[in-house]
Amino acid sequence: MTGSDRERLRASFTEDAELYDQARPGYPPELFDDLAELTGIGPGCRVLEVGPGTGQATVPLAERGCRIVAVELGAEMATLARHNLARFPSVQVVTAAFEDWPPPAEPFDVVVSATAFHWIDPAVRMVRAADALRAGGALATIATHHIRGGSTDFFAAAQTCYERFDPATPPDLRLRSAAEIPYDSDGPEPSGRFGPPVFRRHEWEQAYSTAEYLNLLRTYSNHRTLEPAALVGLLDCIARLINDRHGGQITKRYLTELRVARRDPAHDMPDALKRRG
């Protein structure tokens, strides 16, 4: 993906914050238990969240007593996040691109990014995350994958709708099982600023009515950037499949992956000490 493609796509889903807030699923509660175990988040922990959206992951972090600075690119998203987080005085939502945002002098204990880190410029995201952390602090990224399971017949049949209305759809595309999804290797290794990552994974399912599922699709960047007529045709094709063959409801299976890597203090040692060690 080129830089211009990334900018165009990541800007597309910030255009309708209320729909995003309504339609996007949250994250399994067990994920935040894992995050606490691996990073030590808890009361008073200083957290930088990159790309909070409307606060789906921010709220569970705030409920654990974290002090949070959340940096959100989309102005509408940031406004709605402030509304959703208004009961937490220790949360600050900043409207800015993470690539350009100047971090405060006080370092953070944890940098968290839930389903957003892949939108940040890969040339700078690891370095900027490391610069924002204290020595030994942790970078935690969360990725969500749609996997095989749930209403499998529907998703297989929906492929014909995508092949008809979305020219970028590979032929005979099929969902993979969780075991076939590779672990996220994109990150600390090239920068040299972090140690080896630790992973935790959770599989879960979400039921959707026809209207709920169409709203979910309208929040996806690759759907929002389709030509208007193609999007209308695609959604109509999918709606007919759900209503005619599945009684107006389908179930989607998700894999949520937590990836945690610690900032390596050895990287910050003077060269002379590194050679001596």
Side-chain angles (χ1 to χ4, degrees), residues 148-167:
R148 186 165 63 239
S151 301
T152 54
D153 292 346
F154 161 74
F155 290 108
Q159 174 69 13
T160 60
C161 297
Y162 282 95
E163 290 179 358
R164 179 180 175 188
F165 293 103
D166 182 1

Side-chain angles (χ1 to χ4, degrees), residues 19-232:
L19 180 63
Y20 185 99
D21 190 55
Q22 169 194 338
R24 284 293 181 106
Y27 300 95
E30 298 84 2
L31 181 85
F32 297 96
D33 294 334
D34 290 340
L35 185 60
E37 177 189 339
L38 295 173
T39 69
I41 61 164
C45 180
R46 187 164 162 77
V47 174
L48 169 62
E49 185 180 6
V50 180
T54 58
Q56 283 91 338
T58 325
V59 170
L61 292 171
E63 289 174 340
R64 289 176 178 262
C66 298
R67 296 182 294 147
I68 303 169
V69 177
V71 180
E72 170 55 46
L73 173 68
E76 289 187 16
M77 292 277 193
T79 297
L80 191 48
R82 291 185 190 103
H83 172 77
N84 291 341
L85 294 155
R87 68 185 189 275
F88 300 107
S90 60
V91 177
Q92 176 190 6
V93 179
V94 177
T95 306
F98 178 61
E99 295 91 334
D100 304 323
W101 176 71
E106 182 185 358
F108 293 89
D109 299 306
V110 183
V111 173
V112 175
S113 188
T115 324
F117 207 59
H118 61 290
W119 292 119
I120 307 302
D121 184 351
V124 301
R125 59 191 172 199
M126 302 308 303
V127 172
R128 289 189 60 81
D131 287 345
L133 284 167
R134 63 170 173 80
L139 169 64
T141 59
I142 299 167
T144 300
H145 303 273
H146 178 198
I147 60 174
R148 186 165 63 239
S151 301
T152 54
D153 292 346
F154 161 74
F155 290 108
Q159 174 69 13
T160 60
C161 297
Y162 282 95
E163 290 179 358
R164 179 180 175 188
F165 293 103
D166 182 1
T169 303
D172 301 318
L173 182 67
R174 291 294 181 268
L175 291 168
R176 295 180 289 177
S177 68
E180 295 173 295
I181 302 294
Y183 284 83
D184 180 10
S185 61
D186 180 24
E189 292 75 14
S191 76
R193 301 289 299 274
F194 292 88
V198 177
F199 295 91
R200 296 287 173 83
R201 286 182 158 193
H202 297 277
E203 296 181 48
W204 53 286
E205 293 185 347
Q206 177 73 45
Y208 294 95
S209 68
T210 303
E212 289 169 341
Y213 191 62
L214 297 186
N215 280 340
L216 176 68
L217 295 181
R218 290 186 181 100
T219 70
Y220 291 158
S221 57
N222 60 339
H223 289 64
R224 295 187 66 86
T225 54
L226 287 174
E227 292 295 327
L231 179 59
V232 169

